Amino acid sequence: MATTQAAAEAALPSEPGAPIGGGVEREFTVKARSQRQQIVRRFVRNKVGMTGLVVFVLLLAFGFLGPLLYTTDYATQNSGAQSVPPGSQGYPLGSDAIGRDLLAGLMQGVQRSMLIVLLFVVIALPLGLLVGALAGYFGRWVDSVLMRFVDLILTVPLLVVLIVVASNFPSSRTPLGVGIILGLFGWLDLARIVRSQFLSLREKEYVEAAHALGASNSRIIFKHLIPNALGSLIVWTTLAAATAIILEASLTYLGFGVNGANQTSLGRLVSDGVQATTTRPWLFYFPGITLLVIVLSINLIGDGIRDAFDPSNRRVRA
Amino acid sequence: MFFFTIRRVIASVFVLLASSFLVFALCAASFDPLSKYYTQNPRPPESFFENLREQLGLNDNFFVRYWNWLSGALTGNFGETINGTPVSEQLGGRLLVTGRMILLAIIIAVVLAVVVGVVGAVRQYKPSDYAFTFLAYLLIALPTFWFAAILKEFVAGGVNDVFGKQVLFTIGEETPGLSLYASGWELWSDRLGHLVLPTVSLALLSFAAWSRFQRSAMLDVLGSDYMRLARAKGLPYRRVVMKHGLRNALIPLTTVVALGIGTLFGGAVITEQVFVWHGMGEYLIQNGIGQNDINVVLGWLLVSAVFVVVFNLVADVLYAVLDPRIRLS
């Protein structure tokens, strides 16, 4: 705010009567920064958030570029090297009970988990945005109906709803299926957040002005309200992505996630490894730590973005 | 206050009714009690299925089925499992098993979250604050079952070595068969030994998020004008933080805790699976979903919905008690 004001003043001549922009030497040159630039700057200067981003990018590179360098295929089973410890027989991180390479498995697991997160966000974000926007913008009975519906679904633990739904579709034990199911039920808290944002934003003067100029409802929602609620949306997306990874792991552990034959995800690797805590610790620690680091880095990015959007640091995830 | 409570109770009853309808619709669409006969070889004749459908009332209209189930559930009769035993008896016993874990976990998590949150806020940016923040982030990023496996591996082994005998147990909710002959202290100390690790693993995961929340609520309060005023008029620091600060900072946490009950119920399913408890979670996964038993799942979901709604109600009332400014009308 202050910078833009200063910039506006700087554009005026420093002495009355002097020609504008006529090569006057100014003592202070102030460059205007848009809101977006300020947010990006705040994020880039946030050490914790940037650490998260760097770690996350490294993990993405590990998952997606790694297979180009390390060409062993995870699906290859080697009956001659079952459960070998890390570093032996050419397995850098060891192998599992049927002789599959754990390092290749981790790379594939990161890929699949990212697919799940992507599906989850692509489905849940528009759904939650739509429901929350309708409820918050139109208010009255639309609000009551939609929000009571959301409240009702929330009376049952999300994990259990997911289990019951997933039990209906035995063919959905793939990353694709799990991502879709997570997305279809993961938008409830987003709807609440968007609604409360819209409730306060729609009372603002600029919305009234847009109304007075004859803007349609959809124009107000898409051009005025959503851009102003963007901060909450981005923060929700990152934090919910981290939750989605953990939920997938939990579902898989209970047998309702990525449990199909020849299906991989980080959650699958972790829940398989839990059986081998002492006997084959590499199967337990490597996937678990990879998952921990990926979720941690996403959470740190999310918190960094939240601080960048809202430096007063009032909003905290519950 | 009285009328406020009454009105909230009545509203909660309606929420529960609507919730039970939703739950019934979900389960009726998901489970077929006859599915175990479809795969039987040789397949039973069609008349057998017709008889069963008639007997179980599956031919009735959806709303009739709902009404039959609901009227039973209201009188405490949740119907029978597919093996013919009443659900309500089994559910009651298992609720006691899981309930003691969840209740204890809530207490531990809330107390720890308040203490750690307040310490973190009062000593902001000191080493202890950073340590707790780091711990909270770590716990938030862990899957329940992985964390529980670590507890089983290191904490249980370590503690048992220190005492030289088995103090903490990692399997089951009590030593099998002990309740047949033991009672009193012997039985409950055994149960306590079984209770510690599952409760800790369940509590710590909720505690992590709640402590972050409590910390920021406390920071908000510490920066407010009335705190400075209270200090300026000469109240001791401790008293200002505890009476003026903490009481106000607890208000947001009540809502968060009440909304977290559902998550805890879901988390308990996983914890029970890890520690092989014979509680609600196992009942849901094995007896309910595993055997396509609609009445078991319905009973489970209704019980969890009752818990969630009751805790929301308690949070609303507590909210009004803690913050007299809340308008009750």
Side-chain angles (χ1 to χ4, degrees), chain A residues 41-279:
Chain A
R41 268 176 79 93
R42 273 202 292 263
F43 181 77
V44 171
R45 292 184 174 182
N46 183 338
K47 279 187 204 126
V48 178
M50 278 311 278
T51 313
L53 187 63
V54 169
V55 172
F56 184 65
V57 169
L58 285 179
L59 272 169
L60 283 188
F62 169 72
F64 288 93
L65 302 180
L68 303 177
L69 301 173
Y70 184 80
T71 48
T72 310
D73 188 16
Y74 178 58
T76 321
Q77 301 179 8
N78 182 354
S79 56
Q82 290 174 347
S83 300
V84 296
S88 56
Q89 294 192 36
Y91 289 93
L93 293 185
S95 71
D96 66 5
I98 52 176
R100 287 180 299 184
D101 186 278
L102 183 61
L103 180 59
L106 281 181
M107 288 172 182
Q108 206 179 45
V110 171
Q111 281 182 22
R112 299 292 189 271
S113 288
M114 284 302 121
L115 171 71
I116 291 173
V117 166
L118 189 71
L119 277 170
F120 165 75
V121 170
V122 164
I123 296 172
L125 189 64
L127 268 178
L129 190 57
L130 183 72
V131 173
L134 289 179
Y137 184 72
F138 291 106
R140 292 199 295 239
W141 65 269
V142 183
D143 183 27
S144 308
V145 170
L146 289 176
M147 282 302 122
R148 288 299 85 76
F149 181 66
V150 169
D151 287 349
L152 281 182
I153 302 183
L154 284 175
T155 54
V156 180
L158 177 63
L159 185 67
V160 177
V161 176
L162 292 174
I163 292 175
V164 172
V165 173
S167 71
N168 282 327
F169 303 101
S171 56
S172 73
R173 302 281 183 268
T174 61
L176 185 74
V178 173
I180 291 175
I181 290 178
L182 280 177
L184 288 179
F185 289 91
W187 52 270
L188 299 164
D189 52 342
L190 175 65
R192 281 186 162 178
I193 295 171
V194 172
R195 169 181 173 267
S196 69
Q197 285 265 306
F198 271 39
L199 276 182
S200 66
L201 285 178
R202 71 167 183 189
E203 306 295 333
K204 293 269 159 78
E205 284 83 358
Y206 60 79
V207 176
E208 208 175 320
H211 256 305
L213 289 170
S216 63
N217 284 332
S218 65
R219 186 181 166 86
I220 292 178
I221 290 180
F222 285 106
K223 286 275 175 187
H224 296 278
L225 293 181
I226 289 183
N228 277 293
L230 201 61
S232 310
L233 285 177
I234 297 179
V235 172
W236 177 86
T237 307
T238 43
L239 298 183
T243 318
I245 296 179
I246 295 218
L247 264 180
E248 179 266 321
S250 305
L251 269 181
T252 307
Y253 178 71
L254 292 174
F256 299 95
V258 188
N259 294 84
N262 298 324
Q263 299 296 335
T264 330
S265 72
L266 270 186
R268 177 77 183 269
L269 291 171
V270 176
S271 30
D272 286 351
V274 164
Q275 325 295 338
T277 326
T278 41
T279 48

Side-chain angles (χ1 to χ4, degrees), chain B residues 1 10 19 21 26 28-29 41 52 82 95 103 109 122-123 162 166 176 185 213 220 227 235 248 251 268 287:
Chain B
M1 184 70 213
I10 294 173
S19 170
F21 181 75
L26 177 69
N41 204 6
L52 260 183
I82 48 171
L95 183 60
L103 277 182
V122 171
R123 306 177 59 81
V162 166
Q166 185 143 27
W185 169 243
F213 194 84
D220 244 15
M227 294 292 287
L235 288 182
N248 281 299
I251 298 169
N287 302 35

Side-chain angles (χ1 to χ4, degrees), chain A residues 259-305:
Chain A
N259 294 84
N262 298 324
Q263 299 296 335
T264 330
S265 72
L266 270 186
R268 177 77 183 269
L269 291 171
V270 176
S271 30
D272 286 351
V274 164
Q275 325 295 338
T277 326
T278 41
T279 48
R280 285 158 292 159
W282 60 94
L283 291 181
F284 176 71
Y285 289 107
F286 290 131
I289 290 170
T290 312
L291 187 111
L292 171 68
V293 171
I294 214 168
V295 174
L296 193 60
S297 67
I298 296 180
N299 273 334
L300 292 181
I301 296 173
D303 282 357
I305 296 178

